[in-house]
Amino acid sequence: MQVFIDRIRAAIAAHSGLDAAELKIESPRDPSLGDLAFPCFPLAKALRKAPPAIAAELGEKLTGDLEGISVEAAGPYLNFRIDRGTLAAQVLGTIQEEGEGFGGSDEGSGKTVVLDFSSPNIAKPFHVGHLRSTILGATIQRLHDALGYRTVGINHIGDWGSQFGKLVAAIQRWGDEVDLEGDPIRSLLTLYIRFHDEAENDPELVEAGRAAFRELESGEEGEVRATWRRLTELSLAEFDRIYQRLGVSFDHVRGEAFYEPYLEPTIERIRASGITEESEGALVVRLDEYEKGAPPCLLRKTDGTTLYATRDLAAVFHRWDEFAFDRCLYVVGSDQRLHFRQLKYVLRRMGLDWESRVEHVDFGMLSLPEGKLSTRKGQVVFLEDLLDRAVEQAGAIIAEKNPDLADPERVAEEVGLGAVVFHDQKRERVKDVVFDWDEVLSFEGETGPYVQYTHARLASILRKAVEKGLEAAELAPESLAGLADSGELLLTLGRFPTVVRSAAAEAEPSIVTRYVLELAREMNSWYANHRVLGGDPEESRARLALVRGAKIVIGNGLRLLGVAAPEEM
Ligand code: ARG
């Protein structure tokens, strides 16, 4: 589509003397008026004429100027309609040429985006909240990759903090009663819950936890640190299984502990800017000048230990120093909004202008019908259980629908995981998600399997065409004239690069999800009304070219979302 927009802009610029880049071409509100529109209001001032008069005059001048595009003035607007053969040749030609790269560009080249996502906590299960961060974060990274940005994905593992003192104390007391090596996450969770239960009436236990964390922070290489290290390794190995299954990887796995050496220099850096205050022995930065009632950011507690916020400040400086990012995105649940506002306020108080490049990409909670998930209370749904169940159910549906499928296990994995991953990105990310098995796995609703199924169906049409010796038409306007009544679909296909661009800009995967759903729906209803194989061969060939283009675009959309695009299911 960009090609047509550029040509229209250049032609208007040539006749009006205005700068082509400044001319705004939009989609008409009513698609029956045309494919693109130019509102003439911005020209009124320069040309000292009323917009309808400008539209009429310009319309006449442009007629014949734009090959394959007709012009019509309607009030203050100029409406443009692209000849369907020309549109088809351009859109399908670009898709065919760019293949898996279609949708992307190099507009981000030379710019760096840091993404902090997934970031589960050591010694706790990787729960569905972290699943959302992992899925959304990986998609937002792929979107930026597709646009040519240099991206740096960082897994900011929660491996530091007072809870590790508690865990070490719990292991010292009850470590023998659990199977740490065999089932680390469950064992550590049990110990964590037990610590919280018993600590209520056991001040000694509380003190033992505090002492262990103090020792950890002191940097001493003793038993406490060795235990902490063991916890970390056991947990990371567990998390890796899930990442592998989801096909997610990171450029850096840097836990909070990674920033330990930078904590003191960070506190010094902030103190040197003159914004810190002592408050009851703690070191704080007041923030109420930006937000009434905003609690101060605590840099160091009375007992000398640092906090989550201190470590995030150290991390953001480290990232700025290392990557000089254009964007630094934190894909973290909306329950941490205050934390990230505080982080940004501290940077703002320090007068750092790159503060605006730091964005909290927040998202709503994922809840299962059984209720909200809370680690501490032990109502945990282990992610692997969830994925297993999705794959199992997908397998059952597939076995029923297509008992002759060649590789049913692989497809079940692709469809089961695809269903969960798609569902998680279906609505605007700030919205809460309620997990409903029937909805997630349905082949008919607005689901991943529905889009995957559409993709597989297009693949099957193409296979059948090969069997019949039919090839897609040449991508030239004359050969594609048969697509005259498929303009809407062609325009939808041509819009994909814009979709990718806005999804990246807004860090909003649901823009892609909604788009592929719409495309799948349009494609299916087109297919219901158009015979692709078995009719007039010329017509079949033109329609096959469209099927091939749509298959590529749906596949690219799914892959950007981290969902497999099976050829058969
Ligand atoms: N580990 C944290 C949690 O599970 C999330 C960390 C997010 N990233 C960050 N830089 N604070 O709640």
Side-chain angles (χ1 to χ4, degrees):
M1 288 314 282
Q2 197 55 44
V3 178
F4 298 113
I5 294 177
D6 290 344
R7 281 177 52 203
I8 291 171
R9 276 190 180 143
I12 297 177
H15 286 292
S16 67
L18 291 172
D19 182 1
E22 308 257 296
L23 300 172
K24 239 192 146 94
I25 307 293
E26 46 189 54
S27 305
R29 251 163 286 269
D30 174 1
S32 73
L33 293 174
D35 306 323
L36 293 165
F38 175 64
C40 295
F41 307 101
L43 296 186
K45 215 170 158 195
L47 303 177
R48 295 164 177 279
K49 263 185 216 156
I54 299 175
E57 256 173 56
L58 248 183
E60 234 161 81
K61 285 187 193 155
L62 289 174
T63 306
D65 253 20
L66 295 159
E67 211 193 312
I69 305 176
S70 61
V71 197
E72 204 172 325
Y77 290 93
L78 274 178
N79 292 323
F80 300 90
R81 202 182 137 80
I82 306 160
D83 161 68
R84 292 316 183 224
T86 307
L87 178 67
Q90 170 60 39
V91 170
L92 299 179
T94 310
I95 296 172
Q96 184 64 21
E97 196 180 300
E98 298 182 8
E100 293 204 351
F102 179 69
S105 71
D106 57 5
E107 65 185 59
S109 99
K111 295 197 182 121
T112 300
V113 180
V114 173
L115 301 103
D116 178 312
F117 68 102
S118 192
S119 310
N121 302 311
I122 294 294
K124 287 197 204 169
F126 190 118
H127 60 67
V128 282
H130 296 120
L131 173 68
R132 282 214 89 187
S133 173
T134 308
I135 290 173
L136 293 167
T139 295
I140 297 167
Q141 179 163 21
R142 280 186 296 266
L143 286 165
H144 283 92
D145 285 335
L147 296 173
Y149 289 89
R150 169 172 78 137
T151 64
V152 185
I154 302 181
N155 192 352
H156 189 78
I157 301 267
D159 60 359
W160 207 248
S162 50
Q163 70 272 30
F164 292 94
K166 295 176 189 170
L167 267 171
V168 170
I171 291 177
Q172 283 167 347
R173 264 212 206 178
W174 312 298
D176 298 341
E177 297 172 33
V178 291
D179 179 16
L180 258 183
E181 301 289 333
D183 194 354
I185 305 280
R186 257 174 244 258
S187 307
L188 291 167
L189 180 65
T190 309
L191 291 175
Y192 191 69
I193 293 167
R194 182 149 177 201
F195 184 97
H196 274 275
D197 283 348
E198 302 207 6
E200 277 173 34
N201 307 308
D202 188 347
E204 248 175 62
L205 183 63
V206 175
E207 185 39 41
R210 289 212 182 109
F213 185 51
R214 269 200 304 277
E215 184 176 328
L216 208 50
E217 283 230 307
S218 74
E220 190 184 313
E221 279 296 339
E223 197 199 314
V224 170
R225 187 159 280 254
T227 309
W228 168 77
R229 209 164 267 137
R230 182 161 154 243
L231 293 179
T232 309
E233 279 157 16
L234 287 170
S235 297
L236 282 178
E238 292 283 299
F239 298 160
D240 272 344
R241 280 212 309 275
I242 293 161
Y243 294 135
Q244 257 174 25
R245 198 160 174 195
L246 290 174
V248 171
S249 60
F250 301 90
D251 301 289
H252 299 285
V253 177
R254 288 178 177 170
E256 294 183 35
F258 172 88
Y259 300 99
E260 226 191 317
Y262 306 97
L263 290 172
E264 270 319 304
T266 296
I267 292 176
E268 265 327 298
R269 197 163 171 172
I270 301 171
R271 203 209 291 270
S273 74
I275 61 169
T276 54
E277 283 168 51
E278 297 273 342
S279 166
E280 296 163 37
L283 192 66
V284 306
V285 179
R286 289 197 186 285
L287 305 168
D288 35 11
E289 68 182 89
Y290 298 122
E291 183 181 322
K292 221 171 121 195
C297 179
L298 202 51
L299 297 178
R300 187 160 42 212
K301 289 202 272 194
T302 319
D303 64 6
T305 55
T306 61
L307 297 101
Y308 181 54
T310 326
R311 294 185 287 278
D312 252 331
L313 281 161
V316 81
F317 287 128
H318 190 269
R319 291 167 189 178
W320 173 250
D321 295 343
E322 186 174 0
F323 303 115
F325 49 72
D326 293 273
R327 293 180 95 178
C328 180
L329 307 177
Y330 292 85
V331 186
V332 184
S334 49
D335 51 337
Q336 294 194 27
R337 274 189 192 147
L338 175 62
H339 168 74
F340 287 103
R341 285 209 304 279
Q342 288 181 305
L343 184 78
K344 281 169 66 68
Y345 290 152
V346 172
L347 301 178
R348 210 187 293 178
R349 275 206 69 185
M350 292 174 76
L352 300 166
D353 58 4
W354 49 267
E355 173 265 332
S356 60
R357 303 181 184 199
V358 175
E359 299 169 48
H360 179 199
V361 176
D362 56 350
F363 57 82
M365 290 294 110
L366 179 64
S367 56
L368 296 175
E370 294 92 271
K372 224 182 143 214
L373 302 155
S374 150
T375 310
R376 190 163 304 174
K377 300 221 177 60
Q379 295 169 338
V380 178
V381 175
F382 292 94
L383 181 66
E384 283 183 299
D385 293 348
L386 183 108
L387 297 180
D388 285 342
R389 196 168 149 193
V391 170
E392 199 180 296
Q393 296 197 14
I397 299 174
I398 290 167
E400 200 188 294
K401 287 205 178 240
N402 189 352
D404 307 321
L405 196 63
D407 191 351
E409 263 155 48
R410 204 199 64 224
V411 178
E413 177 88 5
E414 290 180 348
V415 174
L417 296 188
V420 174
V421 169
F422 191 93
H423 182 258
D424 221 23
Q425 308 184 86
K426 194 166 100 181
R427 275 175 264 274
E428 267 178 276
R429 59 176 154 73
V430 293
K431 302 240 165 81
D432 290 345
V433 177
V434 178
F435 205 89
D436 169 349
W437 284 107
D438 291 335
E439 187 198 326
V440 172
L441 284 161
S442 154
F443 276 47
E444 269 111 48
E446 302 198 312
T447 63
Y450 169 71
V451 180
Q452 290 177 312
Y453 188 65
T454 306
H455 180 268
R457 189 179 197 184
L458 299 178
S460 134
I461 299 171
L462 294 171
R463 279 194 303 271
K464 282 204 192 102
V466 173
E467 280 166 26
K468 294 192 177 213
L470 266 174
E471 271 174 47
E474 296 262 321
L475 299 176
E478 318 77 64
S479 347
L480 296 171
L483 297 178
D485 68 346
S486 309
E488 196 192 342
L489 197 43
L490 289 165
L491 289 168
T492 303
L493 290 173
R495 220 176 68 219
F496 185 53
T498 321
V499 167
V500 174
R501 192 187 308 142
S502 34
E506 293 171 38
E508 185 61 82
S510 69
I511 294 178
V512 178
T513 328
R514 278 204 310 271
Y515 171 83
V516 290
L517 280 170
E518 184 191 322
L519 176 55
R521 227 180 291 121
E522 277 180 23
M523 196 59 211
N524 285 321
S525 72
W526 178 88
Y527 184 64
N529 295 312
H530 294 77
R531 186 163 170 197
V532 177
L533 304 174
D536 166 51
E538 273 320 294
E539 200 174 64
S540 285
R541 280 160 41 81
R543 290 179 180 169
L544 275 173
L546 181 70
V547 167
R548 188 177 61 186
K551 174 182 177 271
I552 293 176
V553 177
I554 293 180
N556 290 0
L558 286 176
R559 273 186 297 273
L560 279 172
L561 292 167
V563 174
E567 294 288 313
E568 224 180 326
M569 70 186 254

